[in-house]
Amino acid sequence: MRNIILFFAFIGLHWVSVGQDFSINRIEPMLSAQKELMNIYPIRNQQLDCPPKIIHHTHAGFRFLDSLDSNNELDDLFLSIFIKNNCANFYNVLTTHKLFLPEYIAALKKHDLDTNYALLPLTMSADNPSLKYNTDKSGAWQLSFVNARKYGLQIDAYFDERNDIQKSSEAAAKYLKFLQKYYLNNDLLVVTAFYTSVPFVNKHLNQLENVNTKSFVSSLPPEIKGYLFYLRSWGNWIENFGVPQSLTSFNKDLEWSKIESVDTLSFETISQFMDISVRKMELMNPAYTGKYVLPHSSIPFYLPKKIASDFSKNHVEFIAFQKEQAERKKKELAEQKKRMESGIPDLNKFKAVTYTVKSGDVLGKIADRNNLRVSQIKQWNNLASDRIDIGQKLVLYVPKSSNVDLPPDTDDNKISTKPVTPKPGSGSPQIYTVKPGESLWLIAKKFPGVSAENIMGWNGCTDKISPGMELKIYSTK
């Protein structure tokens, strides 16, 4: 087969309208994801020409693209997608492309590859480092899991180096070098195999009686043909449209800071303490797919420079809070497991009451009066039979909004949980209103010398607080 490829001839193609499926299935998802990237790679100068100004550069491009017949209908379709909304799509894509282009070119030149291959991440993902088009491919170069691991990329519960521009560009260049050698420098086959796979290309070649450009491309599905037209369109646009210098003005080193943590720290914890969303951290650090910052990582973790100093000063406290939350969650899960094993319902929705058995009571009657099942009462009270005695204490779990059927004026049948009596501190208290997402631990950190236990004692409450609750805070000095 490789001898056949050696004589692969480039001749003209004769299609009129193919590739609409590509524009629908691939371009729109890319552009939808691209809008998020503009939150971290903004275009500084909003005075941009639409449509872009036409210039004339000398740009070689892939020679096999010149053999594609003109398709004005499809070219117009592609262009219309990018110039709508004041050319926002065109300039948004160019912004990230110009930002990552030096990394692409460095990797390609290192392996003696044509820099035209730098168009592949632009056309396959709109240069989106974290784009995941299907379950197998990810990153700007849309590398498959198998190829990524083959060329040394780390993919596990915490990282996906396909989403790191530098590391994925190196792996992509190695893969392209292999494809060039395998297909004897035939760029059409190399590009098609990179977009699809080697088995896909070989299958189509082996089905052809006459191996040439026309027969090969004619055998491809509409989406693949559409991709080749799309690749040609971008090659022409970059050759003929002027690219404003402002699109390269973003400087990561000036606007972001590399952050190191002494322990594992979740994005969620960072977001609770700092003015940054989890989603923005994901976009800034796309290789961190596990949403955890790990100590001594080979992949830098970034935060905006304006808040990075606060992280460095306080991240040890963040870790302590995270460990406390993890312990609390572990305890809650253990209690939930115990409740499930004993049949006890969610205590956020149900209340426990103590019922004293009186003359004439049987389990069936008690259960019917309180919308319970006999089996529940037996399980809650570890009863081996239906027999109960007068004066026997039974624990019942009923909805908090319901009225349990208890005899009037009987102290024995009160709710067994007693409220905590507040113990005010000295001096005049400060009134603090609980905000959404706050815990007693977070509130206590705002008042030197005050602990969560202090606040619970002063207010007669537990650690279950809610937004809008007013708490009295006393000085401990």
Side-chain angles (χ1 to χ4, degrees):
M1 184 189 71
R2 298 187 65 180
N3 289 331
I4 295 176
I5 298 170
L6 184 62
F7 296 99
F8 201 80
F10 287 93
I11 61 176
L13 306 176
H14 304 285
W15 311 312
V16 176
S17 179
V18 296
Q20 284 84 347
D21 288 344
F22 172 83
S23 65
I24 295 171
N25 296 334
R26 293 298 296 265
I27 298 178
E28 292 299 343
M30 291 184 218
L31 296 180
S32 178
Q34 184 73 24
K35 292 177 182 178
E36 287 190 296
L37 287 181
M38 290 302 99
N39 293 325
I40 61 171
Y41 302 128
I43 297 176
R44 301 304 180 196
N45 181 7
Q46 298 300 319
Q47 303 301 316
L48 300 171
D49 296 318
C50 187
K53 288 183 177 179
I54 296 178
I55 59 175
H56 295 287
H57 281 164
T58 55
H59 181 78
F62 290 113
R63 287 189 299 171
F64 75 85
L65 293 176
D66 296 334
S67 64
L68 302 182
D69 277 353
S70 61
N71 189 328
N72 294 332
E73 178 185 349
L74 193 56
D75 288 340
D76 290 344
L77 174 62
F78 290 148
L79 190 58
S80 67
I81 294 173
F82 283 89
I83 67 173
K84 64 182 180 181
N85 298 325
N86 200 32
C87 297
N89 290 332
F90 179 75
Y91 287 115
N92 286 349
V93 172
L94 275 185
T95 297
T96 46
H97 182 66
K98 298 296 287 185
L99 179 65
F100 299 139
L101 188 59
E103 297 281 5
Y104 301 154
I105 291 177
L108 294 171
K109 286 185 174 180
K110 178 180 176 181
H111 294 276
D112 297 319
L113 292 165
D114 194 317
T115 56
N116 285 321
Y117 286 117
L119 278 176
L120 296 182
L122 185 155
T123 52
M124 295 179 71
S125 70
D127 298 286
N128 191 323
S130 58
L131 184 69
K132 198 173 187 67
Y133 180 68
N134 56 37
T135 56
D136 181 55
K137 295 185 177 182
S138 186
W141 291 89
Q142 289 292 283
L143 293 170
S144 69
F145 178 88
V146 172
N147 283 328
R149 293 299 295 268
K150 179 179 178 181
Y151 293 103
L153 297 187
Q154 177 182 349
I155 304 174
D156 54 31
Y158 292 100
F159 295 108
D160 189 341
E161 290 186 339
R162 292 178 296 180
N163 298 356
D164 180 85
I165 291 297
Q166 183 178 15
K167 292 179 181 291
S168 66
S169 296
E170 174 69 15
K174 290 178 180 178
Y175 182 38
L176 287 167
K177 192 67 175 179
F178 159 76
L179 293 175
Q180 271 204 339
K181 184 177 180 180
Y182 185 79
Y183 290 118
L184 306 179
N185 297 318
N186 187 311
D187 285 336
L188 172 58
L189 299 185
V190 171
V191 168
T192 306
F194 193 91
Y195 182 76
T196 57
S197 68
V198 170
F200 175 89
V201 171
N202 290 349
K203 175 183 176 182
H204 282 267
L205 287 174
N206 291 331
Q207 291 174 345
L208 298 176
E209 293 183 4
N210 297 314
V211 180
N212 54 51
T213 302
K214 179 180 178 181
S215 62
F216 175 75
V217 178
S218 297
S219 72
L220 297 175
E223 184 199 347
I224 314 301
K225 296 177 185 176
Y227 172 71
L228 297 178
F229 275 107
Y230 183 64
L231 180 65
R232 184 180 68 178
S233 293
W234 264 108
N236 289 336
W237 296 345
I238 288 181
E239 178 182 355
N240 293 299
F241 289 161
V243 179
Q245 188 63 32
S246 60
L247 295 182
T248 62
S249 64
F250 180 84
N251 189 322
K252 182 187 295 186
D253 293 333
L254 293 179
E255 303 194 34
W256 297 356
S257 289
K258 296 179 183 179
I259 297 300
E260 293 185 3
S261 177
V262 299
D263 204 342
T264 302
L265 190 59
S266 73
F267 285 16
E268 185 64 40
T269 299
I270 298 173
S271 180
Q272 287 186 52
F273 284 91
M274 307 188 72
D275 184 24
I276 185 171
S277 68
V278 171
R279 184 55 184 155
K280 187 168 184 177
M281 281 185 277
E282 289 180 297
L283 292 171
M284 293 176 66
N285 304 278
Y288 282 74
T289 50
K291 302 180 186 179
Y292 279 90
V293 184
L294 301 184
H296 313 301
S297 171
S298 62
I299 300 177
F301 176 77
Y302 291 94
L303 285 177
K305 187 155 288 188
K306 62 181 180 180
I307 66 173
S309 59
D310 291 336
F311 176 90
S312 301
K313 292 176 184 176
N314 302 307
H315 87 283
V316 174
E317 292 187 10
F318 302 167
I319 293 169
F321 170 76
Q322 181 175 269
K323 289 181 177 179
E324 180 183 298
Q325 291 289 83
E327 286 299 318
R328 179 178 299 175
K329 185 67 175 178
K330 182 179 178 180
K331 183 178 179 181
E332 289 177 353
L333 290 174
E335 292 175 350
Q336 183 181 17
K337 180 181 179 182
K338 183 178 179 181
R339 286 200 309 269
M340 291 176 65
E341 291 173 348
S342 62
I344 298 174
D346 186 353
L347 296 181
N348 290 319
K349 300 178 181 178
F350 291 80
K351 60 185 176 181
V353 298
T354 302
Y355 182 85
T356 303
V357 178
K358 60 184 184 294
S359 178
D361 275 342
V362 294
L363 286 182
K365 183 186 291 187
I366 298 172
D368 289 342
R369 288 200 302 254
N370 296 287
N371 295 317
L372 299 173
R373 298 192 302 273
V374 170
S375 60
Q376 290 177 307
I377 299 176
K378 291 175 68 176
Q379 185 180 21
W380 295 334
N381 294 276
N382 197 27
L383 299 178
S385 70
D386 290 353
R387 178 178 175 176
I388 53 176
D389 301 317
I390 296 174
Q392 183 175 347
K393 307 288 187 181
L394 297 176
V395 176
L396 308 179
Y397 293 93
V398 297
K400 288 185 175 181
S401 59
S402 68
N403 294 316
V404 68
D405 181 41
L406 299 176
D409 303 324
T410 304
D411 290 339
D412 287 342
N413 288 322
K414 300 296 182 182
I415 295 176
S416 58
T417 303
K418 296 180 180 180
V420 178
T421 302
K423 297 180 180 179
S426 59
S428 299
Q430 176 179 346
I431 304 301
Y432 183 86
T433 303
V434 178
K435 300 179 180 60
E438 286 189 319
S439 67
L440 284 182
W441 188 88
L442 281 175
I443 295 172
K445 297 298 290 183
K446 298 181 179 181
F447 300 94
V450 173
S451 67
E453 288 74 16
N454 291 147
I455 300 176
M456 288 190 284
W458 293 331
N459 294 274
C461 66
T462 67
D463 61 352
K464 304 295 183 183
I465 58 175
S466 57
M469 182 184 295
E470 293 186 344
L471 299 174
K472 294 179 181 180
I473 310 292
Y474 292 86
S475 174
T476 58
K477 296 181 180 180

